Amino acid sequence: MENKKFVCDVCGYVYDPQVGDVDNGINPVVSFEDLPDDWVCPLCGVGKDEFSEE
């Protein structure tokens, strides 16, 4: 598994696939590309299209 991190362009939140987003039902080892299309930044609520590869 690649460990590519993605950062929110709006608030700076970093999605790390090693950590996931457990509070929102995303287990560790889920790559950014495999996140559901309706997943949003847990801090500011923007969509995946507002993230850039770190």
Side-chain angles (χ1 to χ4, degrees):
M1 181 192 86
E2 292 186 47
N3 190 27
K4 290 193 273 184
K5 296 178 184 176
F6 286 78
V7 62
C8 178
D9 298 330
V10 176
C11 74
Y13 170 83
V14 176
Y15 177 77
D16 182 347
Q18 294 293 337
V19 176
D21 181 15
V22 178
D23 291 342
N24 293 298
I26 306 298
N27 292 324
V29 306
V30 174
S31 70
F32 186 81
E33 292 84 0
D34 290 337
L35 289 171
D37 289 338
D38 61 352
W39 181 84
V40 296
C41 177
L43 297 184
C44 71
V46 298
K48 289 172 59 177
D49 59 335
E50 297 289 333
F51 278 72
S52 300
E53 189 171 342
E54 188 175 59

